[in-house]
CSV table of all heavy atoms in Angstrom, one decimal:
chain,number,residue,atom,x,y,z
A,6,GLY,N,-68.3,82.0,-120.7
A,6,GLY,CA,-69.8,81.8,-120.8
A,6,GLY,C,-70.6,82.8,-120.0
A,6,GLY,O,-71.8,82.9,-120.1
A,20,ILE,N,-70.9,75.4,-135.5
A,20,ILE,CA,-70.4,74.5,-136.5
A,20,ILE,C,-69.8,73.2,-135.9
A,20,ILE,O,-70.1,72.1,-136.3
A,20,ILE,CB,-69.5,75.2,-137.5
A,20,ILE,CG1,-70.2,76.2,-138.3
A,20,ILE,CG2,-68.8,74.1,-138.4
A,20,ILE,CD1,-69.3,77.1,-139.1
A,35,SER,N,-72.3,70.5,-124.0
A,35,SER,CA,-73.4,71.1,-123.5
A,35,SER,C,-73.1,72.2,-122.4
A,35,SER,O,-72.3,71.9,-121.5
A,35,SER,CB,-74.4,70.1,-122.9
A,35,SER,OG,-75.6,70.6,-122.7
A,82,VAL,N,-56.9,86.8,-99.6
A,82,VAL,CA,-55.7,87.0,-98.8
A,82,VAL,C,-55.7,86.2,-97.5
A,82,VAL,O,-54.6,85.8,-97.0
A,82,VAL,CB,-55.5,88.5,-98.6
A,82,VAL,CG1,-54.4,88.8,-97.6
A,82,VAL,CG2,-55.2,89.3,-99.9
A,88,PHE,N,-62.0,77.2,-101.7
A,88,PHE,CA,-63.0,77.1,-102.7
A,88,PHE,C,-63.1,75.6,-103.2
A,88,PHE,O,-62.0,75.0,-103.4
A,88,PHE,CB,-62.7,78.0,-103.9
A,88,PHE,CG,-63.2,79.4,-103.8
A,88,PHE,CD1,-62.6,80.3,-103.0
A,88,PHE,CD2,-64.3,79.8,-104.5
A,88,PHE,CE1,-63.1,81.6,-102.8
A,88,PHE,CE2,-64.8,81.0,-104.4
A,88,PHE,CZ,-64.2,82.0,-103.6
A,100,ASP,N,-80.3,65.5,-98.8
A,100,ASP,CA,-79.5,64.4,-98.5
A,100,ASP,C,-79.7,63.2,-99.5
A,100,ASP,O,-78.9,62.3,-99.5
A,100,ASP,CB,-79.8,63.9,-97.1
A,100,ASP,CG,-79.3,65.0,-96.1
A,100,ASP,OD1,-78.5,65.8,-96.4
A,100,ASP,OD2,-79.9,64.9,-94.9
A,119,THR,N,-63.6,93.7,-110.0
A,119,THR,CA,-64.3,94.9,-109.6
A,119,THR,C,-65.7,94.6,-109.1
A,119,THR,O,-66.2,95.4,-108.3
A,119,THR,CB,-64.4,95.9,-110.8
A,119,THR,OG1,-65.0,95.2,-111.9
A,119,THR,CG2,-63.0,96.3,-111.2
A,122,ILE,N,-65.7,88.2,-106.5
A,122,ILE,CA,-64.7,87.2,-106.5
A,122,ILE,C,-65.2,86.1,-107.4
A,122,ILE,O,-66.4,85.8,-107.5
A,122,ILE,CB,-64.5,86.7,-105.1
A,122,ILE,CG1,-63.3,85.8,-105.0
A,122,ILE,CG2,-65.7,86.1,-104.5
A,122,ILE,CD1,-62.9,85.5,-103.5
A,124,ALA,N,-64.2,82.0,-109.3
A,124,ALA,CA,-63.4,80.8,-109.3
A,124,ALA,C,-63.9,79.9,-110.5
A,124,ALA,O,-65.0,79.9,-110.9
A,124,ALA,CB,-63.5,80.1,-108.0
A,147,ALA,N,-73.7,71.1,-110.1
A,147,ALA,CA,-72.5,71.3,-109.3
A,147,ALA,C,-72.8,72.1,-108.1
A,147,ALA,O,-73.7,73.0,-108.1
A,147,ALA,CB,-71.4,72.1,-110.1
A,151,TYR,N,-67.3,78.0,-100.5
A,151,TYR,CA,-66.0,78.7,-100.0
A,151,TYR,C,-66.2,79.1,-98.6
A,151,TYR,O,-67.4,79.3,-98.1
A,151,TYR,CB,-65.6,79.8,-100.9
A,151,TYR,CG,-66.4,81.1,-100.8
A,151,TYR,CD1,-66.1,82.1,-99.9
A,151,TYR,CD2,-67.5,81.2,-101.6
A,151,TYR,CE1,-66.8,83.2,-99.8
A,151,TYR,CE2,-68.3,82.4,-101.5
A,151,TYR,CZ,-67.9,83.4,-100.6
A,151,TYR,OH,-68.7,84.5,-100.5
A,152,HIS,N,-65.1,79.4,-97.9
A,152,HIS,CA,-65.1,79.9,-96.5
A,152,HIS,C,-64.9,81.4,-96.5
A,152,HIS,O,-64.0,81.8,-97.3
A,152,HIS,CB,-64.1,79.2,-95.7
A,152,HIS,CG,-63.9,79.8,-94.3
A,152,HIS,ND1,-64.8,79.7,-93.3
A,152,HIS,CD2,-62.9,80.6,-93.8
A,152,HIS,CE1,-64.3,80.3,-92.2
A,152,HIS,NE2,-63.2,80.9,-92.5
A,156,LEU,N,-66.3,85.9,-91.4
A,156,LEU,CA,-67.4,85.3,-90.5
A,156,LEU,C,-66.9,84.0,-90.0
A,156,LEU,O,-67.0,83.0,-90.8
A,156,LEU,CB,-68.7,85.2,-91.4
A,156,LEU,CG,-69.1,86.5,-92.1
A,156,LEU,CD1,-70.2,86.2,-93.1
A,156,LEU,CD2,-69.6,87.5,-91.0
Side-chain angles (χ1 to χ4, degrees):
I20 291 168
S35 193
V82 170
F88 273 77
D100 294 335
T119 57
I122 191 170
Y151 72 92
H152 171 73
L156 306 168

